[in-house]
Amino acid sequence: MKDDIAQKFANILRVDKVLFEKTIERLVAATGKTDVLERIFEEDEKFMQNRLWMLGVHRDAHAKEIYDGLISKIESDDHLVYEGLGRPVCKKVSDCQGITDLAKKVANPPKGFCLKLDKAREFLIKEPPKKVMEFLGYTAVEEMLKKEDLLEVYSALRFIEGSEWLNAVFFKQYETLTPADFEEREIEVKALSEKWGVESQKFVAKKKHNISHLKELGVIFVIPTFLGISGEILRMFALLMHYLQEVPFYSDMFRTIAKDEATFTQNLVSLLRGDVLSRHIDVEDKSVWLVVQRYLAKDDPNDWRLFVPHINPEALHWLRATRTLAMIGDRLDHFSDELNFWSDLDWVGDYFKDESGVPVLVSFNLVDTVMSLVKEKEMVKYLYHHEEALWNRIFVEFFGEDKLVEYSKQYLLKGYFEI
């Protein structure tokens, strides 16, 4: 392993170089594969050279020029999708539903293993969501459930009821669930009705997007609203494609834990909470890899778990989302080549000098680029999607993508595995 290549990747991942080298040495010993890091380095360079050529930007350009080129590409692709859809108005339910229908058709998700609707109604009756009822003008929860769409009500819980009540009261009911409370059902992707518009604005402003999901119910929902941010339609499709990977992933997890009724409830609650291993694991003569099912850097960019070897299912969902994104171009107006620009770029990036000659890490990751665009083109260092994807890429180069999926599911609840 070349010393400068190891140093580069250690810098990108923000990890200790000695620990990183020991990790790679262990992977080489376990698989017999050598020169893997060099191959990743060469692929990274090849991807960047190709994409910079497509952007019309020189390899020696300053970081800002490359960043601006990526932003312009987002805006250009967004315009293609916008025109291909017939210029949708995001505030209209019908236009939002058209977007969700296309996304579902392209992703073609399998059936989900979901909470039965009768059980969902039972939870609302036992613990009525008072703020939602007040907003809708009901005094009796039974009347609300007769007249309102159940899945819309459940979606509204996320942005109307406070998190304290949801976690301390409503979701406590989930601790009574059994495998018998779940069923095979189509995954739904739906636009909520316009009446939720005003009440959802704080949620949208905080999230910087208008899409969320309910894993246990197999629902992905879109709040009809216009954020007024460049790249809005493309970002919506990317998020929808991501959730259309994530929801089936967790349905598979639910099916697996349903095989053991004795541990089903605790495992279900753990999955829905997004639990991550909280204690250090020391194993002599072996390499310990964590399975991190959240983007920890969103809450704490210096979380210790980010600096040890790990794989991340979230990054896997994004990888597959960008691959399916290109299929939208074929469905609309045959511009899949343009959208295919973003495929497999999730782990790609490098240091480029700024105007002062200081090396700045630039991520070619679609999500990092979109998040920077949301911040009104400020040179904000959104890099954590790239970092997590690079850990996944290293694992895949040694063991393959199928093993990444297998280990993500097999060790998600345990929180780690050993190599």
Side-chain angles (χ1 to χ4, degrees):
M1 180 189 344
K2 293 181 180 178
D3 188 70
D4 56 341
I5 293 178
Q7 185 65 66
K8 172 187 171 179
F9 284 116
N11 289 344
I12 292 173
L13 295 170
R14 301 184 298 143
V15 298
D16 177 74
K17 179 171 175 280
V18 174
L19 169 64
F20 183 69
E21 287 177 329
K22 286 182 178 178
T23 298
I24 298 301
E25 288 168 4
R26 178 60 194 166
L27 294 176
V28 171
T31 64
K33 294 182 178 181
T34 59
D35 300 327
V36 169
L37 212 60
E38 287 82 358
R39 186 165 64 250
I40 296 175
F41 176 84
E42 290 170 3
E43 288 179 354
D44 184 48
E45 183 64 28
K46 180 180 177 181
F47 270 112
M48 281 189 298
Q49 290 277 17
N50 173 262
R51 297 311 196 268
L52 289 172
W53 176 82
M54 293 174 71
L55 294 174
V57 178
H58 196 271
R59 179 66 175 83
D60 295 329
H62 285 148
K64 185 68 164 60
E65 185 179 349
I66 294 169
Y67 170 80
D68 285 345
L70 291 167
I71 291 292
S72 295
K73 176 62 177 168
I74 291 277
E75 294 174 329
S76 173
D77 290 346
D78 177 75
H79 182 72
L80 286 173
V81 176
Y82 176 71
E83 292 291 335
L85 285 167
R87 302 183 179 183
V89 178
C90 294
K91 286 186 176 181
K92 289 185 178 180
V93 175
S94 59
D95 286 14
C96 275
Q97 193 62 54
I99 293 172
T100 63
D101 289 346
L102 176 59
K104 184 177 180 181
K105 189 176 294 184
V106 169
N108 191 27
K111 283 189 175 182
F113 190 61
C114 311
L115 180 65
K116 290 179 178 177
L117 298 182
D118 285 344
K119 195 67 181 181
R121 288 190 188 91
E122 179 186 314
F123 282 165
L124 288 171
I125 291 170
K126 286 183 177 179
E127 295 292 349
K130 295 179 180 178
K131 291 181 181 179
V132 172
M133 291 170 61
E134 181 182 358
F135 171 74
L136 293 173
Y138 294 101
T139 56
V141 66
E142 291 84 355
E143 182 187 3
M144 178 180 72
L145 293 176
K146 284 181 182 178
K147 297 181 178 180
E148 301 292 336
D149 182 291
L150 176 68
L151 296 179
E152 286 212 7
V153 171
Y154 255 83
S155 300
L157 295 180
R158 302 299 173 101
F159 52 81
I160 293 184
E161 301 291 342
S163 59
E164 184 177 340
W165 177 82
L166 279 174
N167 295 323
V169 179
F170 189 78
F171 289 141
K172 289 289 287 184
Q173 297 179 98
Y174 282 27
E175 296 175 5
T176 66
L177 289 171
T178 69
D181 294 317
F182 282 70
E183 64 181 357
E184 296 289 337
R185 197 168 65 237
E186 290 286 336
I187 290 172
E188 289 202 41
V189 190
K190 62 185 301 165
L192 303 185
S193 59
E194 286 143 338
K195 64 189 172 192
W196 305 107
V198 176
E199 288 298 310
S200 65
Q201 288 312 300
K202 287 183 180 179
F203 175 85
V204 172
K206 179 181 178 182
K207 295 285 187 179
K208 300 296 183 187
H209 62 75
N210 59 328
I211 303 173
S212 194
H213 66 313
L214 309 165
K215 297 185 188 80
E216 70 278 19
L217 283 163
V219 174
I220 301 162
F221 64 88
V222 178
I223 299 168
T225 188
F226 178 66
L227 299 177
I229 299 170
S230 294
E232 191 158 350
I233 302 297
L234 184 65
R235 189 178 69 259
M236 284 180 66
F237 267 119
L239 279 166
L240 286 168
M241 291 303 185
H242 172 269
Y243 286 136
L244 282 163
Q245 297 293 330
E246 182 177 352
V247 172
F249 176 91
Y250 278 93
S251 276
D252 282 347
M253 292 297 301
F254 299 157
R255 289 187 189 96
T256 298
I257 64 175
K259 296 174 183 176
D260 186 352
E261 189 166 352
T263 60
F264 175 78
T265 303
Q266 68 185 61
N267 286 335
L268 174 69
V269 172
S270 176
L271 288 170
L272 293 177
R273 274 198 310 249
D275 288 347
V276 180
L277 187 73
S278 59
R279 58 191 172 87
H280 288 270
I281 300 293
D282 294 316
V283 180
E284 195 172 336
D285 298 327
K286 288 195 176 182
S287 175
V288 175
W289 283 65
L290 305 186
V291 182
V292 180
Q293 63 173 320
R294 303 199 313 268
Y295 279 120
L296 297 173
K298 288 172 67 175
D299 300 318
D300 180 4
N302 295 309
D303 190 302
W304 68 268
R305 290 163 292 197
L306 296 172
F307 308 117
V308 297
H310 60 276
I311 58 175
N312 189 314
E314 277 278 340
L316 172 63
H317 306 327
W318 275 118
L319 169 65
R320 294 184 163 183
T322 55
R323 288 174 179 169
T324 55
L325 187 63
M327 296 167 65
I328 290 172
D330 280 337
R331 293 273 185 171
L332 295 178
D333 198 16
H334 305 291
F335 49 82
S336 59
D337 286 347
E338 283 83 355
L339 295 182
N340 201 48
F341 175 95
W342 304 103
S343 295
D344 293 291
L345 275 189
D346 55 319
W347 58 278
V348 173
D350 201 357
Y351 288 93
F352 298 87
K353 292 181 179 179
D354 65 11
E355 287 82 351
S356 303
V358 177
V360 174
L361 181 59
V362 178
S363 167
F364 282 54
N365 183 291
L366 172 64
V367 196
D368 284 334
T369 307
V370 166
M371 287 179 66
S372 298
L373 183 54
V374 168
K375 283 293 187 179
E376 298 178 349
K377 296 191 178 183
E378 298 169 14
M379 192 61 174
V380 178
K381 191 178 181 181
Y382 277 117
L383 300 167
Y384 63 80
H385 295 92
H386 171 216
E387 292 170 5
E388 297 296 270
L390 182 54
W391 274 118
N392 278 7
R393 182 67 180 189
I394 291 168
F395 182 90
V396 165
E397 284 295 323
F398 280 99
F399 298 102
E401 192 171 314
D402 288 345
K403 191 64 71 174
L404 174 65
V405 176
E406 177 188 333
Y407 275 37
S408 293
K409 294 177 179 178
Q410 183 177 347
Y411 297 104
L412 187 62
L413 286 163
K414 184 179 179 181
Y416 73 96
F417 57 90
E418 302 163 19
I419 296 176

